[in-house]
Amino acid sequence: MPLIPPRLLRALESFNSAHPWSHNAHYHPWLLRQLPRRFGRALDVGCGSGDLVRLLAARATGRVEGIDSDPQIIARARELTPPGVSGAPAVFTVVDARAGIPVGPYDVITCVAALHHLPFTETLTRFRDQLAPGGTLVVVGCAREEDLVDHFLAALSIPLNLAMGWLKNRGRRAESRPVAMTAVTRPPAMTFAEVRREAIRVLPRVRPRRWLFWRYTLVWRAPLA
């Protein structure tokens, strides 16, 4: 985030706490547009409370698996996903993706705001290796601000973030944060330049892009066999 006077920063944090909204959920519609209308088996890494898993299950013809290392958020995801109401079977499992991911192949792998918690190159390599021929990988990630483009997008995001919080909460103070925002977070270590360089090395022809609200994306389609 750009350098902000401490007093203004506290005011912004107070407003955002009173009018919370999920930056990750904001990108779910965009993410779904990167995927085929119908696909088979899918995996969401760092699934949190399962919002994206439920969206994927509505379009999948095979099982959709959500994994997260936090047992409490997985329990919450199960509570929020009644069996048989979301389309394809949705399964939530406590898995530490640092040690590996469930064996594929998967037609779709997604990872939203979780990759910076994991070893970057190892994890992208696992995603690549577990993706079925012709399958799609979509990452929505967080990177450390470094260059002028980062700071420009961050500065632009601040007033837009306030406006989105106000609109999504209809001008009212929220009683609690969305469940999806209760997962453990930590600041990213890699810059977008580092992310882009390493992603291109692991995933030929990947499409890295920077976005508003402190996010970047990677979209990659596995070659056909």
Side-chain angles (χ1 to χ4, degrees), residues 3-224:
L3 291 177
I4 298 173
R7 190 171 179 178
L8 178 56
L9 183 60
R10 287 194 295 271
L12 291 171
E13 290 174 346
S14 176
F15 183 92
N16 291 333
S17 296
H19 305 87
W21 64 283
S22 173
H23 298 142
N24 298 330
H26 174 75
Y27 282 103
H28 287 172
W30 173 88
L31 187 155
L32 291 172
R33 290 196 295 272
Q34 312 312 306
L35 305 177
R37 286 186 173 273
R38 302 294 286 176
F39 48 83
R41 192 179 174 197
L43 173 69
D44 183 36
V45 178
C47 65
S49 58
D51 292 352
L52 181 56
V53 169
R54 290 184 285 276
L55 293 173
L56 294 173
R59 293 172 59 170
T61 58
R63 190 166 82 159
V64 179
E65 301 169 49
I67 64 171
D68 201 292
S69 62
D70 183 347
Q72 290 184 325
I73 203 72
I74 284 290
R76 196 74 180 97
R78 290 170 179 158
E79 290 173 6
L80 293 169
T81 312
V85 300
S86 58
V91 178
F92 297 96
T93 310
V94 178
V95 173
D96 188 344
R98 290 174 297 183
I101 63 173
V103 176
Y106 295 97
D107 299 292
V108 165
I109 297 177
T110 58
C111 184
V112 177
L115 189 53
H116 67 287
H117 291 262
L118 305 168
F120 186 86
T121 302
E122 281 180 43
T123 305
L124 274 193
T125 302
R126 288 171 183 155
F127 291 168
R128 181 195 66 197
D129 294 345
Q130 296 303 327
L131 204 61
T136 305
L137 167 67
V138 184
V139 172
V140 178
C142 307
R144 178 169 57 86
E145 292 167 25
E146 180 190 45
D147 61 20
L148 289 175
V149 175
D150 292 332
H151 292 304
F152 171 77
L153 290 174
L156 188 59
S157 293
I158 291 171
L160 293 175
N161 187 63
L162 298 175
M164 290 286 283
W166 179 264
L167 291 171
K168 286 183 178 289
N169 289 280
R170 299 179 181 178
R172 302 187 184 97
R173 176 180 289 271
E175 294 182 4
S176 61
R177 291 186 300 166
V179 176
M181 295 178 66
T182 61
V184 176
T185 62
R186 78 174 188 188
M190 295 178 69
T191 66
F192 178 74
E194 293 168 335
V195 165
R196 185 179 185 278
R197 182 169 59 249
E198 197 63 14
I200 289 172
R201 189 179 71 80
V202 176
L203 306 171
R205 300 179 303 282
V206 69
R207 301 202 314 266
R209 293 183 64 184
R210 282 182 278 202
W211 296 83
L212 292 169
F213 306 124
W214 304 279
R215 296 294 182 268
Y216 72 82
T217 59
L218 304 174
V219 180
W220 186 72
R221 291 181 175 83
L224 294 170

